[in-house]
Amino acid sequence: MSPANPNAEKSPVLESGAVPQGGSASPGGTSRLRVAVPSVATRVATELRLQIAEGALPPGTKLKEEALSDELGVSRNTVREAFAELASERLVVRQPNRGVFVASLGVTDIHDVYTVRRAIEVSAVRGGGSPERIAAVRAAVEEGKHAAAAGDSEGLGSANQHFHGALVALASSERLDTIMSQVLAEMRLFFHKAAVDGGFYQDYLADNEQICQALEAGDTELAAERLLSYLDRSEEHQTAVHTS
Amino acid sequence: MSPANPNAEKSPVLESGAVPQGGSASPGGTSRLRVAVPSVATRVATELRLQIAEGALPPGTKLKEEALSDELGVSRNTVREAFAELASERLVVRQPNRGVFVASLGVTDIHDVYTVRRAIEVSAVRGGGSPERIAAVRAAVEEGKHAAAAGDSEGLGSANQHFHGALVALASSERLDTIMSQVLAEMRLFFHKAAVDGGFYQDYLADNEQICQALEAGDTELAAERLLSYLDRSEEHQTAVHTS
DNA sequence: GATATCCGGAACGTTCAACGATTCAGCAAT
DNA sequence: ATTGCTGAATCGTTGAACGTTCCGGATATC
């Protein structure tokens, strides 16, 4: 029956999201001169990803596929596919016959995530990178400084993410980039609780500066060392916040 | 039609595949005392994964979802979900409106994969591990020796995969394990062509032994160094084989 | 004869409706 | 208080349908 969907403006959320994210780790991996608009399922996934990242869907929230299906104006099957995408990124967990829930990470998960970060970021920094990539790191540092000057703690957080994303981008590895972007997405899951702590962002700005300087000086070993100590300190801080 | 499928039953492939793989990085991540039988889509995915790994579905093969749907006796939607799972592991690539194909990796992909391996494996080795984990590494080494003694080149390859899997298992990181298992799955994609080369497996057996000994001696730095040189040599070999 | 255009089939993307299976909550029975 | 049952809600899976996109071949044109 065609009249079932008379083009009603049911899905304002979806139509707006036509933004082609130029991020380093876009999931449309087979981009070989192809204009193809992202699939509907993909758009649903990015929308949910966004809502999870900004805290609109706090960890533990149950995502009912039927509710979402008609809230977004898409079929239940499509929502299901979006769930599969998010589940592969560990942003949601699927419990058979019970539903999908926004992932909520425990202390062990925090340690786990930082283990991955230590492996990937340190390795990328050790290998150094082209001047352009290092310039991108510098740009992220400056972005953080500007955000700090403007008192924009929101922008400060994302600048930090850009910084660490730029670090792994040094390796020029497509796979490493996607892994890192997923890890960063996971970190946003428990960043909301940590954001309340004000004295946190101050010192790592200096850390980033130090790391960047070491990189620009060509001393990748020193940069790696500083990064490692930063990661250890950051993990310690996060675990402290989440063991209340 | 599948080439090696004498059993013309409706869905022989699926019913047989009830094997619970005890691997370190089973994809059913939320397994916390839950008996739940894997979803049908998951079973289809593992079946396809297996056929891809053993070369029954060579890279570049087009996977028609309708053909697979009635060959496996499941719905087209289910096959679709299995595709999503495999696509998230980079085992297949989706080309919009054209279909999914078994991933075929080029030289740049080889370098990329080895970049990930360098990051993950070296980091895990550097961090050392509990005696039990090191014992698992030793077990993988012995498994390789036995396979070599028996002239089983098939078992030799899988033993090597177990070895490197055991290396990252040193870090006791769930996420690192799954990443590594996906990387190893990707490696199987271009291992078939390299398997013809006979003189390849000989030397890395000694390498594994050396790495393991360094680990057992507690010299993680030496182990990491040896591993790194092995990975470089292995990448060189693989690229040489694949630039014919 | 070579190039361009058009057209039909094949496969994919998405939707819809339905049925069985599983889980949970509440209530009844012991 | 514990156990067992019943029913509602939701998930898992299926099947069919329609529009869209892509590919290959036939036709038309130069």
Side-chain angles (χ1 to χ4, degrees), chain A residues 34 63-66 76-77 80 94 96-99:
Chain A
R34 191 163 276 274
L63 301 178
K64 295 185 254 232
E65 47 187 47
E66 185 173 10
R76 198 158 72 94
N77 273 335
R80 185 162 255 277
R94 261 189 140 135
N97 282 314
R98 288 191 33 81

Side-chain angles (χ1 to χ4, degrees), chain A residues 83-96:
Chain A
F83 283 170
E85 192 172 328
L86 295 177
S88 80
E89 304 168 7
R90 290 180 171 272
L91 287 184
V92 302
V93 293
R94 261 189 140 135
Q95 291 187 345

Side-chain angles (χ1 to χ4, degrees), chain A residues 211-233:
Chain A
I211 295 170
C212 188
Q213 281 183 13
L215 271 176
E216 290 167 334
D219 193 345
T220 62
E221 203 55 41
L222 176 61
E225 189 181 323
R226 284 173 174 169
L227 171 62
L228 194 53
S229 91
Y230 159 76
L231 284 175
D232 288 340
R233 229 176 320 133

Side-chain angles (χ1 to χ4, degrees), chain A residues 1-53:
Chain A
M1 307 247 243
S2 46
N5 193 356
N7 230 353
E9 193 93 10
K10 286 189 165 180
S11 57
V13 203
L14 270 186
E15 311 302 341
S16 70
V19 180
Q21 45 167 356
S24 53
S26 130
T30 49
S31 59
R32 197 60 84 191
L33 265 64
R34 191 163 276 274
V35 280
V37 71
S39 162
V40 177
T42 305
R43 271 178 293 174
V44 173
T46 60
E47 171 61 25
L48 290 178
R49 212 187 330 258
L50 198 63
Q51 294 209 12
I52 291 176

Side-chain angles (χ1 to χ4, degrees), chain A:
Chain A
M1 307 247 243
S2 46
N5 193 356
N7 230 353
E9 193 93 10
K10 286 189 165 180
S11 57
V13 203
L14 270 186
E15 311 302 341
S16 70
V19 180
Q21 45 167 356
S24 53
S26 130
T30 49
S31 59
R32 197 60 84 191
L33 265 64
R34 191 163 276 274
V35 280
V37 71
S39 162
V40 177
T42 305
R43 271 178 293 174
V44 173
T46 60
E47 171 61 25
L48 290 178
R49 212 187 330 258
L50 198 63
Q51 294 209 12
I52 291 176
E54 70 186 11
L57 297 174
T61 306
K62 175 170 183 176
L63 301 178
K64 295 185 254 232
E65 47 187 47
E66 185 173 10
L68 277 178
S69 79
D70 50 37
E71 181 173 345
L72 294 175
V74 299
S75 174
R76 198 158 72 94
N77 273 335
T78 305
V79 175
R80 185 162 255 277
E81 263 194 66
F83 283 170
E85 192 172 328
L86 295 177
S88 80
E89 304 168 7
R90 290 180 171 272
L91 287 184
V92 302
V93 293
R94 261 189 140 135
Q95 291 187 345
N97 282 314
R98 288 191 33 81
V100 312
F101 304 81
V102 179
S104 73
L105 304 105
V107 205
T108 71
D109 292 287
I110 295 182
H111 175 63
D112 210 272
V113 165
Y114 273 94
T115 299
V116 176
R117 290 189 62 177
R118 266 184 288 267
I120 292 183
E121 298 192 38
V122 171
S123 168
V125 166
R126 266 220 181 85
S130 68
E132 303 87 34
R133 307 273 184 181
I134 294 182
V137 175
R138 166 58 63 188
V141 172
E142 300 302 326
E143 176 190 352
K145 287 182 181 175
H146 286 134
D152 178 12
S153 76
E154 180 79 20
L156 200 48
S158 75
N160 195 38
Q161 302 230 345
H162 293 165
F163 174 75
H164 289 279
L167 284 189
V168 310
L170 289 172
S172 305
S173 165
E174 183 187 330
R175 284 164 181 78
L176 236 47
D177 285 341
T178 71
I179 292 174
M180 184 61 184
S181 80
Q182 289 185 11
V183 167
L184 288 179
E186 275 196 90
M187 292 218 56
R188 279 191 277 271
L189 281 176
F190 51 76
F191 234 61
H192 296 292
K193 294 178 182 166
V196 296
D197 191 338
F200 176 50
Y201 291 115
Q202 318 291 1
D203 29 348
Y204 77 63
L205 256 184
D207 285 330
N208 292 1
E209 174 66 33
Q210 293 289 317
I211 295 170
C212 188
Q213 281 183 13
L215 271 176
E216 290 167 334
D219 193 345
T220 62
E221 203 55 41
L222 176 61
E225 189 181 323
R226 284 173 174 169
L227 171 62
L228 194 53
S229 91
Y230 159 76
L231 284 175
D232 288 340
R233 229 176 320 133
S234 177
E235 174 180 355
E236 196 175 347
H237 175 83
Q238 290 286 349
T239 53
V241 170
H242 285 262
T243 45
S244 58

